[in-house]
């Protein structure tokens, strides 16, 4: 995945008519490439083919940020930018660049994969498919509500992460409810 990291100029006007200019950092995915290979899960009693194009939790194994070398930045968009790592290269160039509204800070390269030869947590549907035998797969169109997950994390780690997210959302909900109640009280008093 290649992510362009840039700043966008935003202007806001306050109640007195003063204009305030800020640069807000933003990201956009420039390129995303997903490659899948057939693989199996082995529970010690045998192996089963995996045909899951969703629900597979990938692990981030590489992330690097590169600033552009000429062409971009404060000098505007003049020529061509080439950044890359190893056998992967990306070149961007030949366009109009408006430095009054945005500026590229650089590009973030992210690689994710599903680890092999490691224990996994699997929940989903197992079906018999002609010519393939037993297959772990995503639910069919008729059973979209059935869960599917293939994760390198343990069940305990998954549950702990979900509980942490639920707690954070609960706190945010309480804060928003209290803030709303305070605004209602202030509105009644005025």
């Amino acid at each position: 995945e290649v992510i362009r990291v840039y700043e966008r100029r935003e202007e806001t006007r306050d109640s007195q008519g003063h204009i305030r200019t800020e640069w807000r950092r933003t990201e956009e995915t420039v390129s995303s490439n997903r490659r899948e290979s057939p693989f199996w899960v082995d529970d010690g009693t045998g192996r089963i083919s995996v045909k899951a194009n969703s629900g597979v939790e990938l692990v981030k194994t590489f992330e690097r940020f590169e600033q552009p070398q000429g062409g971009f930045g404060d000098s505007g968009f003049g020529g061509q930018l080439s950044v890359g790592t190893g056998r992967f290269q990306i070149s961007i160039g030949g366009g109009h660049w408006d430095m009054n509204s945005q500026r590229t800070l650089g590009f973030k390269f992210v690689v994710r994969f599903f680890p092999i030869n490691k224990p996994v947590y699997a929940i989903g549907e197992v079906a018999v498919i002609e010519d393939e035998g037993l297959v772990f797969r995503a639910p069919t169109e008729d059973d979209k509500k059935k869960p599917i997950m293939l994760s390198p994390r343990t069940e305990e780690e998954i549950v702990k992460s979900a509980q942490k997210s639920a707690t954070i959302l609960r706190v945010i909900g309480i804060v928003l409810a209290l803030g709303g109640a305070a605004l209602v009280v202030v509105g009644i008093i005025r």
Side-chain angles (χ1 to χ4, degrees):
E1 187 173 37
V2 180
I3 301 165
R4 176 178 161 235
V5 181
Y6 65 99
E7 290 182 330
R8 180 183 319 194
R9 184 176 153 195
E10 295 181 2
E11 292 183 352
T12 56
R13 188 179 304 267
D14 63 18
S15 59
Q16 287 86 33
H18 299 103
I19 297 175
R20 182 175 163 198
T21 302
E22 289 183 317
W23 287 92
R24 297 219 187 260
R25 187 179 174 126
T26 308
E27 295 183 357
E28 70 176 342
T29 300
V30 175
S31 174
S32 182
N33 185 3
R34 182 179 175 128
R35 295 182 187 209
E36 296 180 13
S37 298
F39 67 100
W40 299 263
V41 174
D42 189 336
D43 70 353
T45 63
R47 68 182 196 170
I48 186 169
S49 176
V50 176
K51 298 262 186 209
N53 53 2
S54 64
V56 177
E57 188 176 301
L58 302 177
V59 177
K60 186 188 307 183
T61 58
F62 176 84
E63 182 174 328
R64 184 172 80 202
F65 180 79
E66 280 194 26
Q67 293 179 324
Q69 302 297 318
F72 281 109
D74 294 330
S75 62
F77 183 16
Q80 181 167 319
L81 169 71
S82 291
V83 289
T85 177
R87 293 181 2 196
F88 177 79
Q89 296 287 322
I90 184 171
S91 296
I92 302 170
H96 173 69
W97 194 251
D98 179 8
M99 282 310 300
N100 293 322
S101 62
Q102 58 180 294
R103 57 187 175 206
T104 297
L105 302 175
F107 292 86
K108 189 180 346 177
F109 297 88
V110 180
V111 176
R112 293 178 173 88
F113 81 102
F114 193 79
I116 58 172
N117 297 326
K118 303 280 185 195
V120 298
Y121 176 76
I123 185 169
E125 178 177 286
V126 174
V128 176
I129 297 181
E130 195 173 319
D131 299 330
E132 295 185 51
L134 282 177
V135 174
F136 178 82
R137 68 174 190 189
T140 60
E141 291 294 322
D142 301 334
D143 293 327
K144 280 287 187 187
K145 292 185 180 184
K146 287 183 179 177
I148 180 167
M149 176 183 267
L150 192 61
S151 174
R153 298 184 294 161
T154 65
E155 183 177 8
E156 292 78 24
E157 290 171 327
I158 293 167
V159 168
K160 188 176 181 179
S161 174
Q163 288 172 336
K164 182 179 178 182
S165 295
T167 300
I168 290 169
L169 290 173
R170 191 175 303 115
V171 169
I172 290 171
I174 291 169
V175 168
L176 290 174
L178 291 174
L183 288 173
V184 168
V185 170
V186 168
I188 293 172
I189 293 175
R190 287 187 175 183

